[in-house]
């Protein structure tokens, strides 16, 4: 089953970072994600938007 929901491992591979870095960025709310039963999940579309935002200097993941 193909889905646009990524695990921490998948988002780390997608961003080409370590899983430890992905956990840190998620817990610091620097990348958009959510927890399901204690496990981080990420929508691929939101990660793609976040990547584009990094290019322009805005950061929608950091919300007050």
């Amino acid at each position: 089953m193909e889905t646009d929901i990524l695990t921490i491992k998948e988002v780390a591979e997608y961003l080409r970072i370590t899983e430890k870095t992905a956990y840190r960025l998620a817990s610091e709310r620097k990348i958009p994600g959510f927890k399901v039963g204690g496990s981080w999940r990420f929508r691929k579309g939101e990660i793609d938007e976040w990547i584009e935002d990094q290019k322009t200097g805005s950061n929608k993941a950091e919300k007050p």
Side-chain angles (χ1 to χ4, degrees), residues 29-58:
R29 314 290 287 162
K30 293 186 177 178
I31 58 174
F34 57 97
K35 280 192 167 186
V36 176
S39 297
W40 282 102
R41 296 292 184 264
F42 307 86
R43 287 186 179 91
K44 186 175 182 301
E46 290 180 354
I47 296 297
D48 290 336
E49 287 179 23
W50 175 81
I51 291 168
E52 289 302 314
D53 290 346
Q54 299 312 294
K55 293 179 185 179
T56 62
S58 67

Side-chain angles (χ1 to χ4, degrees), residues 21-35:
T21 299
Y23 275 115
R24 182 179 54 79
L25 292 173
S27 66
E28 292 175 356
R29 314 290 287 162
K30 293 186 177 178
I31 58 174
F34 57 97
K35 280 192 167 186

Side-chain angles (χ1 to χ4, degrees), residues 1-7 10 34 41-45:
M1 177 169 105
E2 192 169 324
T3 180
D4 71 336
I5 302 295
L6 304 173
T7 64
E10 291 168 332
F34 57 97
R41 296 292 184 264
F42 307 86
R43 287 186 179 91
K44 186 175 182 301

